[in-house]
Amino acid sequence: MDPLDFVTDDQLLRFFRCSRTEMSCMEQPHIFLYQLRDHNLIPEEVYKKLIRKKSKEQREKGLYDMLNWLEEKRPDCIKLFWRCVFKDHLLQQYPTLRLLRNSLLDGSFTLCEKLPEKMEKKVEEEVNGKKRKYSGEGEEEPKKKKTTVIRKRQTSKENESGEEEEQPSTSTQSTPSQKKKVQKPVFSSPLKKGETADIWTWPFYKTQLPVTCGDKKATLYRDKLARGGEDCILVDDQWFTLAGFEEFGGKKSSKNWKTSIRCEGITLAKLIQEGHLISPSFKRRKVGKIKTELFPSNKSAVSSTDSEYESDQEEDDEEVEVENEKEEGERGEQSTSAGGGASPGGSQVVGLRKIVFQVTCGVLSGMLHKDRFASGTRGKSVRTERSWMTPMEFLRGASVMAETSWKKDILCDGNPLSVLIENKVLIIHSVLCKCKLCNPTAEDLQEQVNDDDCFICRIQGSLICCDECPRSFHQGCHLPNVDDALLGNDRPWVCTFCILRNTQSWRQPSKKSYQDVLNYRTSDRLLECQYLLLCLYHTDEDQIFVKNPSINVRNYSSMIKTPMWLDGVVEKLQNSQYQTVKAFVADVLLIFTNCAAFNRDNSEFREMGERLADLFEREFRNTFSIQQQ
């Protein structure tokens, strides 16, 4: 019998009410929302608008409001809700749900105790009772209580808040022993008020964390990690470095301890990125080689949902949007687009962290990043395929006319930039401005030469910068992975994209037939294969095709007998399991064939796969110089 059958609906509803905040903070809640939609627990419109939210804060708020709506409108479905979210594939994906299930089923959450009533409701009932007691009975209120009323009214007048005057409450007359009886439900978890369910935030783990690598378990000492990654991991009285523990756990081939070592299933890279851990600082080859976030970004405004619970959210989102538009010198948010590679229509792209505009000048085109813009000559804000430029540099690179003006000649959607400046979409900084864009140091100028986020995963952090193009990468995102040993010398580092561009003329001196290319040995064409995979990773912005779909997608294994995914192809490529290019291509195309077969009734995901398949075919022909048939 299902253990939930032993719990009443009222108890489950009370548990739901206490767990909304934890569930709203879950990372990447897409699969969680899929499950609720598939069981008709949330309307299709609510699901669609929640799934489009990119800002973390807006997504968490929208998720909390959706759970609140679910409690108010569908309390009779509470048992169905918990049965849905306690499925194995969701428990594997979300540690929060595992903790909630354990606290519910092992008795650590006290179901027998009731939550305290809302204080406003209790005060109102008590005041009404007092009024009934002293009205129409021929009795007068005791002077002591009347004095209490007068004192509270005077306090209300002094407040000048326009709120209603406070009334006496029996709670003010209670003795200390009576007050102690009003308690909230007791949890056995070590969490205190305001703490999340993530163990790295618990006081108990302030100095050390339990970590794993492969099947090996260990303890990570935070202070040793922050001091430079010395022997900071302890396994059975034996100390390891980060790289040493990665090798001990059987993950040496990954050459990236940040992704190989995990805490509660979360990579150290993510914990470092979110500020829960302090990463050891690497020695740079030269200024700007390893970058951190240069321009802090604000929260974006995201359109909200409709229906009863969505109306309030629309008002909140509109307020945020107006506030952001009015803020001078606003730093925008990163441009990402859902759908595996195709950017939304129009020239303004609003995404997770940046606001960018597609701009043109003559035959030259690029993307203008609002967070980098200061004026025509300050702030390298225009990103082209080959470099970052100021608007004036972009103008000189495209124009041969003597009389030119960057405000008039650089166009966005056919309109000059002066229109955006007049509408205060772009803000020109004052000549007296002392920000890093207007008054940069030599290090600040070097930081502007490369991207502020990883070209592959679009996340900021410690990045390796290419010396020949504006791209930046995490060590583990680039193919091949960048070893720590390469960071200590003064030699320039060039990414796979630039190496292929610089060497393609002699690597592919003549046109070849498609069949000839398929017969190449993979070991001789490793660079081309790595380049093609990087193109797919970069275009798959939502990382739909990165991980094994059999783990998280319901019914996938029953329909698809031979699953394949990008990380799987990379692993096989690194382990030399492909003898010929034909075998490599077959596995890549299998990803998109499976996508089309599984999503026959889902045009959105099917079209994502088709777009990536077309991209792969096009880049494959160009990379190997295949002659047209």
Side-chain angles (χ1 to χ4, degrees), residues 332-440:
E333 308 200 343
Q334 180 181 4
S335 166
T336 58
S337 59
S343 297
S347 59
Q348 180 181 3
V349 184
V350 183
L352 182 60
R353 289 180 187 146
K354 292 184 180 160
I355 299 176
V356 299
F357 301 90
Q358 186 175 355
V359 293
T360 58
C361 186
V363 296
L364 198 59
S365 63
M367 303 298 289
L368 190 151
H369 290 238
K370 183 177 179 179
D371 65 330
R372 282 182 171 233
F373 176 80
S375 68
T377 57
R378 291 174 293 172
K380 293 184 180 293
S381 55
V382 181
R383 208 287 200 175
T384 66
E385 178 66 21
R386 301 298 296 271
S387 65
W388 281 93
M389 304 178 179
T390 65
M392 278 299 297
E393 291 170 342
F394 184 66
L395 180 68
R396 295 191 196 104
S399 177
V400 294
M401 299 176 60
E403 298 294 331
T404 56
S405 168
W406 66 271
K407 294 182 184 179
K408 295 180 180 179
D409 293 321
I410 299 179
L411 304 180
C412 174
D413 257 351
N415 297 316
L417 289 188
S418 58
V419 175
L420 297 180
I421 295 171
E422 290 169 2
N423 293 331
K424 296 186 177 180
V425 177
L426 292 178
I427 307 295
I428 296 181
H429 292 200
S430 164
V431 292
L432 302 178
C433 180
K434 299 297 183 182
C435 73
K436 290 185 177 181
L437 294 173
C438 299
N439 190 26

Side-chain angles (χ1 to χ4, degrees), residues 262-285:
R262 297 170 178 261
C263 174
E264 291 289 304
I266 306 299
T267 63
L268 295 192
K270 187 172 183 61
L271 297 181
I272 292 170
Q273 175 200 338
E274 295 178 351
H276 300 300
L277 287 176
I278 300 176
S279 170
S281 57
F282 295 101
K283 293 182 179 180
R284 299 186 249 185
R285 293 192 303 276

Side-chain angles (χ1 to χ4, degrees), residues 68-84:
N68 190 47
W69 175 88
L70 193 62
E71 179 192 1
E72 293 178 0
K73 302 300 179 183
R74 295 189 174 175
D76 55 322
C77 299
I78 190 62
K79 189 162 290 187
L80 173 62
F81 170 86
W82 286 118
R83 283 199 175 105
C84 289

